[in-house]
Amino acid sequence: MLASKRLYPLIACAAIVVAVVAAVTGLAEPVLSPNPLDLTIGEYAALDRTGAAGLAMAALGIAAFAVVAGLRSVGAPVDALAERLVLAWGAGLVVLAVLSAVLPATGTDLIAQTYRYLSIAVLAAVPAAGGLTVARFGEDERWRPVARPVEWLTLAGGFGLLALVYVMLPGQGMFVGLVEWSLLGAEVALVGVLAVRLARLTWARGAAHASRAALG
């Protein structure tokens, strides 16, 4: 049981690293745009021919599932709704990864529109989960060290969502790509903070058990 608890944060951290490397590699591809940050996440996925977009989103989906499993395994102070929101974020990213493979091969607008609205829904999930969780972390001794970073990243995500609504409506889409990428970056950072804290808790507990077994 302890071995599986220690495995969850390792999977999450490794998946986040893979996702970041894939995204940076894809954004560096000059074929996409002179400035890839002008592209929305959906536009980037539709134009990408390297597979980096799909890999990054699938890896983030795996990270989300592993983080939720890890939080449950250690009894973290996270309520069911927050867990479901993170799982929805991960599942949505996996669906987007599949759609990113389908989008370039279709000439219809339906999949592109589905991709667009699903990506917006996905981007709203993690800030909402952070808002439900940060107060509980502040009250728990094990999770208090990350309560402030989670709060900052949740606020960044909330402001990012407000900025996204603005640029899509009165802003007429100006800088929408930059806003989407910044918002996704804040969300990945929040999930990463949880994964790193999980790793510290589970591996420290494992080391303590090993020490007691050696002394006993």
Side-chain angles (χ1 to χ4, degrees), residues 2-188:
L2 181 59
S4 63
K5 289 182 181 180
R6 297 170 72 179
L7 192 59
Y8 294 137
L10 290 183
I11 293 173
C13 290
I16 290 171
V17 170
V18 169
V20 171
V21 171
V24 171
T25 302
L27 288 172
E29 179 61 42
V31 174
L32 292 180
S33 169
N35 182 8
L37 293 179
D38 289 337
L39 303 173
T40 66
I41 295 173
E43 291 168 342
Y44 162 62
L47 293 173
D48 180 41
R49 298 295 184 272
T50 65
L55 176 60
M57 288 183 285
L60 289 176
I62 293 170
F65 300 145
V67 164
V68 171
L71 292 173
R72 288 176 177 174
S73 71
V74 299
V78 179
D79 64 19
L81 179 56
E83 286 185 353
R84 291 192 188 102
L85 286 169
V86 177
L87 288 174
W89 184 75
L93 286 170
V94 172
V95 172
L96 291 175
V98 174
L99 289 179
S100 69
V102 176
L103 265 174
T106 179
T108 65
D109 292 333
L110 178 60
I111 293 180
Q113 290 176 358
T114 302
Y115 197 109
R116 177 67 177 153
Y117 292 120
L118 179 58
S119 64
I120 294 171
V122 167
L123 289 172
V126 168
L132 292 170
T133 303
V134 63
R136 290 171 174 254
F137 280 178
E139 298 169 355
D140 189 291
E141 183 179 354
R142 298 174 304 161
W143 292 89
R144 194 172 296 130
V146 297
R148 187 57 59 86
V150 168
E151 181 180 10
W152 290 340
L153 291 168
T154 298
L155 288 173
F159 284 122
L161 286 173
L162 291 176
L164 184 60
V165 171
Y166 175 80
V167 299
M168 288 179 62
L169 297 176
Q172 298 181 343
M174 187 175 295
F175 303 120
V176 64
L178 179 60
V179 172
E180 282 195 6
W181 285 107
S182 300
L183 177 54
L184 181 61
E187 295 179 356
V188 173

